[in-house]
Amino acid sequence: MFELDIDMLKEQGIQLFDTAKKTAQDIADKGKNQLELLNQQARLSKAQRQLGALVYSLHKAGEENQPLVDKYIDAVAEVEKTIEELKANMTPEECAACEPEEEEEFVVDEPAAPAEEAPAEEPEEEIEEEPIKLRGETKICPVCKAEVDGDALFCNHCGAQL
């Protein structure tokens, strides 16, 4: 006759459950790490855009505000450090899955040598002077009460961290 060993079946069931639980937890942890990496990469991109917009606006206004520029540079470096720490705890495959798509490089065209008879050129479009605000969101600086973009890390007027 066939005898069932209930205790052995129970032990095997518990082991199977523990293995499944551990595997599910590992998958969830990897997903959380990848999500955090993607969030930090988005933060880095945003901080880099803000730094570029700040430098451009200062240049266009003929102003200098090196302490404010340095704050933005420090914010970018801090996010880059966080990204490197996250990547250090991930496998190369996990990192590759989170890599942003390659962006086109910004290249400044060299002016062409003047030709004897240059064809008539179309007038260049004017570049907007005001930076584009994302969805019109703004907030008020707690230090100087100036209105700043909703996604700004620092106040454009006094340099306070927001």
PDB file of all heavy atoms in Angstrom, residues 49-76:
ATOM      1  N   ARG A  49      19.164  70.393 -17.263  1.00  0.00           N
ATOM      2  CA  ARG A  49      18.412  71.373 -18.062  1.00  0.00           C
ATOM      3  C   ARG A  49      18.301  72.694 -17.307  1.00  0.00           C
ATOM      4  O   ARG A  49      18.444  73.770 -17.894  1.00  0.00           O
ATOM      5  CB  ARG A  49      17.018  70.840 -18.390  1.00  0.00           C
ATOM      6  CG  ARG A  49      16.988  69.804 -19.487  1.00  0.00           C
ATOM      7  CD  ARG A  49      15.568  69.516 -19.961  1.00  0.00           C
ATOM      8  NE  ARG A  49      14.583  69.371 -18.904  1.00  0.00           N
ATOM      9  CZ  ARG A  49      14.279  68.231 -18.307  1.00  0.00           C
ATOM     10  NH1 ARG A  49      14.884  67.126 -18.647  1.00  0.00           N
ATOM     11  NH2 ARG A  49      13.361  68.195 -17.349  1.00  0.00           N
ATOM     12  N   GLN A  50      18.037  72.621 -16.000  1.00  0.00           N
ATOM     13  CA  GLN A  50      17.910  73.840 -15.211  1.00  0.00           C
ATOM     14  C   GLN A  50      19.233  74.594 -15.154  1.00  0.00           C
ATOM     15  O   GLN A  50      19.254  75.819 -15.240  1.00  0.00           O
ATOM     16  CB  GLN A  50      17.423  73.515 -13.803  1.00  0.00           C
ATOM     17  CG  GLN A  50      15.985  73.100 -13.762  1.00  0.00           C
ATOM     18  CD  GLN A  50      15.527  72.728 -12.365  1.00  0.00           C
ATOM     19  OE1 GLN A  50      16.327  72.396 -11.497  1.00  0.00           O
ATOM     20  NE2 GLN A  50      14.221  72.778 -12.143  1.00  0.00           N
ATOM     21  N   LEU A  51      20.330  73.865 -15.031  1.00  0.00           N
ATOM     22  CA  LEU A  51      21.642  74.502 -15.011  1.00  0.00           C
ATOM     23  C   LEU A  51      21.890  75.205 -16.332  1.00  0.00           C
ATOM     24  O   LEU A  51      22.332  76.361 -16.364  1.00  0.00           O
ATOM     25  CB  LEU A  51      22.744  73.471 -14.736  1.00  0.00           C
ATOM     26  CG  LEU A  51      24.186  73.977 -14.823  1.00  0.00           C
ATOM     27  CD1 LEU A  51      24.437  75.092 -13.830  1.00  0.00           C
ATOM     28  CD2 LEU A  51      25.156  72.833 -14.605  1.00  0.00           C
ATOM     29  N   GLY A  52      21.592  74.526 -17.423  1.00  0.00           N
ATOM     30  CA  GLY A  52      21.772  75.139 -18.743  1.00  0.00           C
ATOM     31  C   GLY A  52      20.905  76.370 -18.911  1.00  0.00           C
ATOM     32  O   GLY A  52      21.352  77.402 -19.422  1.00  0.00           O
ATOM     33  N   ALA A  53      19.653  76.298 -18.476  1.00  0.00           N
ATOM     34  CA  ALA A  53      18.752  77.443 -18.585  1.00  0.00           C
ATOM     35  C   ALA A  53      19.244  78.603 -17.730  1.00  0.00           C
ATOM     36  O   ALA A  53      19.181  79.764 -18.148  1.00  0.00           O
ATOM     37  CB  ALA A  53      17.338  77.050 -18.170  1.00  0.00           C
ATOM     38  N   LEU A  54      19.762  78.289 -16.548  1.00  0.00           N
ATOM     39  CA  LEU A  54      20.295  79.338 -15.673  1.00  0.00           C
ATOM     40  C   LEU A  54      21.493  80.028 -16.316  1.00  0.00           C
ATOM     41  O   LEU A  54      21.556  81.256 -16.389  1.00  0.00           O
ATOM     42  CB  LEU A  54      20.694  78.762 -14.317  1.00  0.00           C
ATOM     43  CG  LEU A  54      21.437  79.729 -13.393  1.00  0.00           C
ATOM     44  CD1 LEU A  54      20.524  80.869 -12.966  1.00  0.00           C
ATOM     45  CD2 LEU A  54      22.007  79.010 -12.201  1.00  0.00           C
ATOM     46  N   VAL A  55      22.441  79.230 -16.794  1.00  0.00           N
ATOM     47  CA  VAL A  55      23.639  79.807 -17.407  1.00  0.00           C
ATOM     48  C   VAL A  55      23.254  80.652 -18.613  1.00  0.00           C
ATOM     49  O   VAL A  55      23.756  81.764 -18.804  1.00  0.00           O
ATOM     50  CB  VAL A  55      24.638  78.689 -17.797  1.00  0.00           C
ATOM     51  CG1 VAL A  55      25.767  79.230 -18.651  1.00  0.00           C
ATOM     52  CG2 VAL A  55      25.197  78.025 -16.548  1.00  0.00           C
ATOM     53  N   TYR A  56      22.326  80.144 -19.415  1.00  0.00           N
ATOM     54  CA  TYR A  56      21.892  80.884 -20.593  1.00  0.00           C
ATOM     55  C   TYR A  56      21.227  82.198 -20.189  1.00  0.00           C
ATOM     56  O   TYR A  56      21.523  83.249 -20.756  1.00  0.00           O
ATOM     57  CB  TYR A  56      20.940  80.040 -21.442  1.00  0.00           C
ATOM     58  CG  TYR A  56      20.406  80.792 -22.629  1.00  0.00           C
ATOM     59  CD1 TYR A  56      21.208  81.012 -23.743  1.00  0.00           C
ATOM     60  CD2 TYR A  56      19.113  81.298 -22.628  1.00  0.00           C
ATOM     61  CE1 TYR A  56      20.733  81.714 -24.825  1.00  0.00           C
ATOM     62  CE2 TYR A  56      18.626  82.005 -23.711  1.00  0.00           C
ATOM     63  CZ  TYR A  56      19.437  82.213 -24.814  1.00  0.00           C
ATOM     64  OH  TYR A  56      18.963  82.912 -25.882  1.00  0.00           O
ATOM     65  N   SER A  57      20.325  82.140 -19.212  1.00  0.00           N
ATOM     66  CA  SER A  57      19.621  83.367 -18.823  1.00  0.00           C
ATOM     67  C   SER A  57      20.579  84.385 -18.214  1.00  0.00           C
ATOM     68  O   SER A  57      20.448  85.580 -18.453  1.00  0.00           O
ATOM     69  CB  SER A  57      18.464  83.064 -17.870  1.00  0.00           C
ATOM     70  OG  SER A  57      18.945  82.541 -16.656  1.00  0.00           O
ATOM     71  N   LEU A  58      21.544  83.911 -17.427  1.00  0.00           N
ATOM     72  CA  LEU A  58      22.541  84.834 -16.867  1.00  0.00           C
ATOM     73  C   LEU A  58      23.383  85.453 -17.984  1.00  0.00           C
ATOM     74  O   LEU A  58      23.642  86.662 -17.982  1.00  0.00           O
ATOM     75  CB  LEU A  58      23.446  84.106 -15.870  1.00  0.00           C
ATOM     76  CG  LEU A  58      22.821  83.744 -14.526  1.00  0.00           C
ATOM     77  CD1 LEU A  58      23.769  82.871 -13.713  1.00  0.00           C
ATOM     78  CD2 LEU A  58      22.428  84.980 -13.741  1.00  0.00           C
ATOM     79  N   HIS A  59      23.795  84.641 -18.932  1.00  0.00           N
ATOM     80  CA  HIS A  59      24.598  85.144 -20.051  1.00  0.00           C
ATOM     81  C   HIS A  59      23.810  86.158 -20.862  1.00  0.00           C
ATOM     82  O   HIS A  59      24.322  87.215 -21.222  1.00  0.00           O
ATOM     83  CB  HIS A  59      25.055  83.979 -20.945  1.00  0.00           C
ATOM     84  CG  HIS A  59      25.753  84.430 -22.181  1.00  0.00           C
ATOM     85  ND1 HIS A  59      27.039  84.900 -22.168  1.00  0.00           N
ATOM     86  CD2 HIS A  59      25.322  84.501 -23.471  1.00  0.00           C
ATOM     87  CE1 HIS A  59      27.390  85.235 -23.401  1.00  0.00           C
ATOM     88  NE2 HIS A  59      26.358  84.991 -24.207  1.00  0.00           N
ATOM     89  N   LYS A  60      22.564  85.824 -21.155  1.00  0.00           N
ATOM     90  CA  LYS A  60      21.728  86.702 -21.966  1.00  0.00           C
ATOM     91  C   LYS A  60      21.507  88.049 -21.269  1.00  0.00           C
ATOM     92  O   LYS A  60      21.454  89.085 -21.914  1.00  0.00           O
ATOM     93  CB  LYS A  60      20.404  86.031 -22.256  1.00  0.00           C
ATOM     94  CG  LYS A  60      19.579  86.782 -23.258  1.00  0.00           C
ATOM     95  CD  LYS A  60      18.619  85.858 -23.931  1.00  0.00           C
ATOM     96  CE  LYS A  60      17.779  86.639 -24.896  1.00  0.00           C
ATOM     97  NZ  LYS A  60      18.023  86.337 -26.253  1.00  0.00           N
ATOM     98  N   ALA A  61      21.398  88.015 -19.934  1.00  0.00           N
ATOM     99  CA  ALA A  61      21.191  89.254 -19.178  1.00  0.00           C
ATOM    100  C   ALA A  61      22.499  89.972 -18.883  1.00  0.00           C
ATOM    101  O   ALA A  61      22.495  91.050 -18.301  1.00  0.00           O
ATOM    102  CB  ALA A  61      20.463  88.934 -17.870  1.00  0.00           C
ATOM    103  N   GLY A  62      23.622  89.359 -19.272  1.00  0.00           N
ATOM    104  CA  GLY A  62      24.918  89.974 -19.011  1.00  0.00           C
ATOM    105  C   GLY A  62      25.282  89.959 -17.540  1.00  0.00           C
ATOM    106  O   GLY A  62      26.033  90.811 -17.082  1.00  0.00           O
ATOM    107  N   GLU A  63      24.758  89.013 -16.813  1.00  0.00           N
ATOM    108  CA  GLU A  63      25.001  88.928 -15.377  1.00  0.00           C
ATOM    109  C   GLU A  63      25.888  87.735 -15.061  1.00  0.00           C
ATOM    110  O   GLU A  63      26.049  86.835 -15.866  1.00  0.00           O
ATOM    111  CB  GLU A  63      23.682  88.771 -14.621  1.00  0.00           C
ATOM    112  CG  GLU A  63      22.724  89.912 -14.794  1.00  0.00           C
ATOM    113  CD  GLU A  63      21.397  89.652 -14.101  1.00  0.00           C
ATOM    114  OE1 GLU A  63      21.287  88.654 -13.364  1.00  0.00           O
ATOM    115  OE2 GLU A  63      20.458  90.431 -14.321  1.00  0.00           O
ATOM    116  N   GLU A  64      26.431  87.747 -13.862  1.00  0.00           N
ATOM    117  CA  GLU A  64      27.172  86.601 -13.345  1.00  0.00           C
ATOM    118  C   GLU A  64      26.655  86.322 -11.950  1.00  0.00           C
ATOM    119  O   GLU A  64      26.416  87.236 -11.176  1.00  0.00           O
ATOM    120  CB  GLU A  64      28.675  86.908 -13.270  1.00  0.00           C
ATOM    121  CG  GLU A  64      29.434  86.466 -14.480  1.00  0.00           C
ATOM    122  CD  GLU A  64      30.941  86.542 -14.267  1.00  0.00           C
ATOM    123  OE1 GLU A  64      31.425  86.092 -13.216  1.00  0.00           O
ATOM    124  OE2 GLU A  64      31.595  87.074 -15.153  1.00  0.00           O
ATOM    125  N   ASN A  65      26.487  85.054 -11.651  1.00  0.00           N
ATOM    126  CA  ASN A  65      26.077  84.649 -10.317  1.00  0.00           C
ATOM    127  C   ASN A  65      26.713  83.286 -10.054  1.00  0.00           C
ATOM    128  O   ASN A  65      26.034  82.270 -10.051  1.00  0.00           O
ATOM    129  CB  ASN A  65      24.555  84.594 -10.198  1.00  0.00           C
ATOM    130  CG  ASN A  65      24.095  84.412  -8.774  1.00  0.00           C
ATOM    131  OD1 ASN A  65      24.867  84.004  -7.910  1.00  0.00           O
ATOM    132  ND2 ASN A  65      22.826  84.696  -8.521  1.00  0.00           N
ATOM    133  N   GLN A  66      28.036  83.304  -9.883  1.00  0.00           N
ATOM    134  CA  GLN A  66      28.773  82.052  -9.741  1.00  0.00           C
ATOM    135  C   GLN A  66      28.313  81.215  -8.548  1.00  0.00           C
ATOM    136  O   GLN A  66      28.221  79.997  -8.664  1.00  0.00           O
ATOM    137  CB  GLN A  66      30.283  82.324  -9.662  1.00  0.00           C
ATOM    138  CG  GLN A  66      31.132  81.089  -9.849  1.00  0.00           C
ATOM    139  CD  GLN A  66      30.891  80.396 -11.178  1.00  0.00           C
ATOM    140  OE1 GLN A  66      30.804  81.030 -12.214  1.00  0.00           O
ATOM    141  NE2 GLN A  66      30.779  79.078 -11.147  1.00  0.00           N
ATOM    142  N   PRO A  67      27.976  81.810  -7.404  1.00  0.00           N
ATOM    143  CA  PRO A  67      27.481  80.976  -6.292  1.00  0.00           C
ATOM    144  C   PRO A  67      26.219  80.200  -6.659  1.00  0.00           C
ATOM    145  O   PRO A  67      26.080  79.034  -6.295  1.00  0.00           O
ATOM    146  CB  PRO A  67      27.200  81.983  -5.171  1.00  0.00           C
ATOM    147  CG  PRO A  67      28.088  83.144  -5.470  1.00  0.00           C
ATOM    148  CD  PRO A  67      28.170  83.205  -6.967  1.00  0.00           C
ATOM    149  N   LEU A  68      25.314  80.821  -7.397  1.00  0.00           N
ATOM    150  CA  LEU A  68      24.099  80.126  -7.810  1.00  0.00           C
ATOM    151  C   LEU A  68      24.431  79.022  -8.813  1.00  0.00           C
ATOM    152  O   LEU A  68      23.918  77.906  -8.708  1.00  0.00           O
ATOM    153  CB  LEU A  68      23.093  81.112  -8.414  1.00  0.00           C
ATOM    154  CG  LEU A  68      21.749  80.537  -8.854  1.00  0.00           C
ATOM    155  CD1 LEU A  68      21.056  79.849  -7.687  1.00  0.00           C
ATOM    156  CD2 LEU A  68      20.872  81.635  -9.441  1.00  0.00           C
ATOM    157  N   VAL A  69      25.298  79.308  -9.765  1.00  0.00           N
ATOM    158  CA  VAL A  69      25.720  78.291 -10.735  1.00  0.00           C
ATOM    159  C   VAL A  69      26.384  77.135  -9.999  1.00  0.00           C
ATOM    160  O   VAL A  69      26.129  75.961 -10.297  1.00  0.00           O
ATOM    161  CB  VAL A  69      26.660  78.897 -11.799  1.00  0.00           C
ATOM    162  CG1 VAL A  69      27.260  77.815 -12.682  1.00  0.00           C
ATOM    163  CG2 VAL A  69      25.913  79.929 -12.652  1.00  0.00           C
ATOM    164  N   ASP A  70      27.216  77.442  -9.014  1.00  0.00           N
ATOM    165  CA  ASP A  70      27.888  76.388  -8.235  1.00  0.00           C
ATOM    166  C   ASP A  70      26.881  75.518  -7.490  1.00  0.00           C
ATOM    167  O   ASP A  70      27.071  74.301  -7.374  1.00  0.00           O
ATOM    168  CB  ASP A  70      28.882  76.999  -7.245  1.00  0.00           C
ATOM    169  CG  ASP A  70      30.108  77.581  -7.934  1.00  0.00           C
ATOM    170  OD1 ASP A  70      30.361  77.231  -9.110  1.00  0.00           O
ATOM    171  OD2 ASP A  70      30.816  78.386  -7.295  1.00  0.00           O
ATOM    172  N   LYS A  71      25.798  76.114  -6.978  1.00  0.00           N
ATOM    173  CA  LYS A  71      24.766  75.324  -6.297  1.00  0.00           C
ATOM    174  C   LYS A  71      24.131  74.328  -7.254  1.00  0.00           C
ATOM    175  O   LYS A  71      23.907  73.174  -6.905  1.00  0.00           O
ATOM    176  CB  LYS A  71      23.688  76.238  -5.707  1.00  0.00           C
ATOM    177  CG  LYS A  71      24.099  76.938  -4.433  1.00  0.00           C
ATOM    178  CD  LYS A  71      22.937  77.740  -3.879  1.00  0.00           C
ATOM    179  CE  LYS A  71      23.338  78.447  -2.602  1.00  0.00           C
ATOM    180  NZ  LYS A  71      22.213  79.200  -2.006  1.00  0.00           N
ATOM    181  N   TYR A  72      23.842  74.787  -8.467  1.00  0.00           N
ATOM    182  CA  TYR A  72      23.261  73.879  -9.466  1.00  0.00           C
ATOM    183  C   TYR A  72      24.255  72.783  -9.835  1.00  0.00           C
ATOM    184  O   TYR A  72      23.882  71.620  -9.991  1.00  0.00           O
ATOM    185  CB  TYR A  72      22.838  74.647 -10.721  1.00  0.00           C
ATOM    186  CG  TYR A  72      21.446  75.208 -10.642  1.00  0.00           C
ATOM    187  CD1 TYR A  72      21.182  76.419 -10.012  1.00  0.00           C
ATOM    188  CD2 TYR A  72      20.376  74.533 -11.205  1.00  0.00           C
ATOM    189  CE1 TYR A  72      19.904  76.936  -9.944  1.00  0.00           C
ATOM    190  CE2 TYR A  72      19.092  75.035 -11.143  1.00  0.00           C
ATOM    191  CZ  TYR A  72      18.864  76.241 -10.510  1.00  0.00           C
ATOM    192  OH  TYR A  72      17.593  76.738 -10.428  1.00  0.00           O
ATOM    193  N   ILE A  73      25.517  73.135  -9.979  1.00  0.00           N
ATOM    194  CA  ILE A  73      26.547  72.140 -10.308  1.00  0.00           C
ATOM    195  C   ILE A  73      26.655  71.117  -9.182  1.00  0.00           C
ATOM    196  O   ILE A  73      26.763  69.914  -9.427  1.00  0.00           O
ATOM    197  CB  ILE A  73      27.899  72.825 -10.595  1.00  0.00           C
ATOM    198  CG1 ILE A  73      27.811  73.592 -11.912  1.00  0.00           C
ATOM    199  CG2 ILE A  73      29.039  71.810 -10.626  1.00  0.00           C
ATOM    200  CD1 ILE A  73      29.001  74.483 -12.207  1.00  0.00           C
ATOM    201  N   ASP A  74      26.609  71.582  -7.930  1.00  0.00           N
ATOM    202  CA  ASP A  74      26.647  70.664  -6.790  1.00  0.00           C
ATOM    203  C   ASP A  74      25.426  69.747  -6.781  1.00  0.00           C
ATOM    204  O   ASP A  74      25.537  68.556  -6.453  1.00  0.00           O
ATOM    205  CB  ASP A  74      26.726  71.450  -5.473  1.00  0.00           C
ATOM    206  CG  ASP A  74      28.061  72.151  -5.292  1.00  0.00           C
ATOM    207  OD1 ASP A  74      29.032  71.802  -5.995  1.00  0.00           O
ATOM    208  OD2 ASP A  74      28.138  73.073  -4.440  1.00  0.00           O
ATOM    209  N   ALA A  75      24.256  70.291  -7.138  1.00  0.00           N
ATOM    210  CA  ALA A  75      23.039  69.470  -7.185  1.00  0.00           C
ATOM    211  C   ALA A  75      23.172  68.388  -8.249  1.00  0.00           C
ATOM    212  O   ALA A  75      22.802  67.231  -8.021  1.00  0.00           O
ATOM    213  CB  ALA A  75      21.818  70.349  -7.462  1.00  0.00           C
ATOM    214  N   VAL A  76      23.738  68.738  -9.404  1.00  0.00           N
ATOM    215  CA  VAL A  76      23.960  67.757 -10.472  1.00  0.00           C
ATOM    216  C   VAL A  76      24.942  66.688  -9.995  1.00  0.00           C
ATOM    217  O   VAL A  76      24.714  65.487 -10.174  1.00  0.00           O
ATOM    218  CB  VAL A  76      24.472  68.443 -11.760  1.00  0.00           C
ATOM    219  CG1 VAL A  76      24.984  67.421 -12.761  1.00  0.00           C
ATOM    220  CG2 VAL A  76      23.374  69.298 -12.389  1.00  0.00           C
TER     221      VAL A  76
END
